[in-house]
Amino acid sequence: MAQAESSGIPLQQTRWGLRDVGYTLAGAWLLGFVVAVLFAALAAAGADPGFGVVLLVGATLPWVVLAGWPVVATRRWGNGPTVDLGWQFRRVDVLWGLGGGLTVALLGWLAGLLTESVVGPFDSAAGRAASQLAAEAPAWQVWLFAAVALLGAPVAEELAFRGLLWSGLARAGAGPVATLLGSAGLFALFHFEPVRFGVLLVVGLGLGWLRLRTGRVGAPTIAHAVNNLPGALAILALAS
């Protein structure tokens, strides 16, 4: 926003806020729940579309809200996602994203080792779903799920957490540390994976630091994709 002002771009008074963060997170969760109930009803009626369809639709449809409402809210009641959320990609963000992504992946791996030393071996929800998908679905669905994990999740989650939530907390008066901790904590909680909370929190803190350092969402989005790359490759390996 400061960059827009310095460039002479006229800005509107923003009328979106933390309530829109609530709409985004609750809406995504509610849509996922509705999809789960709908597919359960279809299966009970004998119209089972298959695990692959259920997984892909259930994983991606909530992103309509998770990524869509931040765009809608900032365009309707603000200056759009580029200005209000820092949804920008510059060449320097590629370097920050690649380096930051490797660092985040390493820190997440270390957090995973620490968690494993306490609770024993564990897997992510995506990993368990991918294993079942490879056993029951055609290979193209496994490839599509890998693409979803690599590209779809970073875009949707960064718009919501390092975009709308981050900017909403800052606009509400939270300082940089509170904004970093708050966005990382909600990011970890949103995944509903208690065993992996520490791993997700570390990842969220790393992505948030990139948002804080660059002032944009471009770098954390690229870093998020880099962090997800090993998982996407592991999913593809299941299809071979």
Side-chain angles (χ1 to χ4, degrees):
M1 188 172 293
Q3 294 171 348
E5 291 175 337
S6 65
S7 301
I9 299 175
L11 299 179
Q12 301 180 20
Q13 182 179 3
T14 55
R15 292 182 289 116
W16 61 268
L18 290 177
R19 70 179 185 281
D20 294 288
V21 175
Y23 296 156
T24 299
L25 301 184
W29 180 86
L30 181 60
L31 187 54
F33 177 75
V34 169
V35 170
V37 171
L38 176 61
F39 278 126
L42 287 175
D48 188 357
F51 179 74
V53 173
V54 173
L55 175 62
L56 290 168
V57 173
T60 59
L61 199 56
W63 295 345
V64 173
V65 178
L66 201 64
W69 191 252
V71 174
V72 170
T74 54
R75 282 183 174 175
R76 184 167 183 179
W77 299 298
N79 301 281
T82 300
V83 174
D84 287 0
L85 306 183
W87 183 248
Q88 303 176 47
F89 292 79
R90 300 184 179 180
R91 282 181 293 181
V92 67
D93 294 331
V94 175
L95 297 177
W96 277 110
L98 292 175
L102 292 173
T103 303
V104 167
L106 175 61
L107 293 175
W109 176 71
L110 292 174
L113 289 180
L114 180 60
T115 302
E116 193 172 82
S117 70
V118 176
V119 302
F122 66 95
D123 195 5
S124 67
R128 294 190 297 272
S131 297
Q132 184 175 350
L133 184 66
E136 301 180 14
W140 69 265
Q141 292 185 356
V142 181
W143 281 77
L144 184 56
F145 186 58
V148 162
L150 179 62
L151 301 175
V155 171
E157 292 180 359
E158 293 312 307
L159 269 170
F161 291 99
R162 258 62 63 179
L164 189 71
L165 174 58
W166 184 282
S167 299
L169 288 171
R171 290 185 65 242
V177 174
T179 299
L180 175 62
L181 294 175
S183 61
L186 276 177
F187 170 76
L189 288 171
F190 182 78
H191 285 77
F192 296 102
E193 296 185 67
V195 174
R196 295 183 67 236
F197 177 83
V199 176
L200 292 165
L201 180 63
V202 168
V203 170
L205 288 171
L207 296 174
W209 184 87
L210 289 170
R211 173 68 166 87
L212 183 64
R213 178 64 179 78
T214 64
R216 295 179 295 276
V217 182
T221 301
I222 294 170
H224 198 148
V226 171
N227 178 73
N228 286 11
L229 179 59
L233 293 176
I235 293 171
L236 291 179
L238 295 172
S240 59

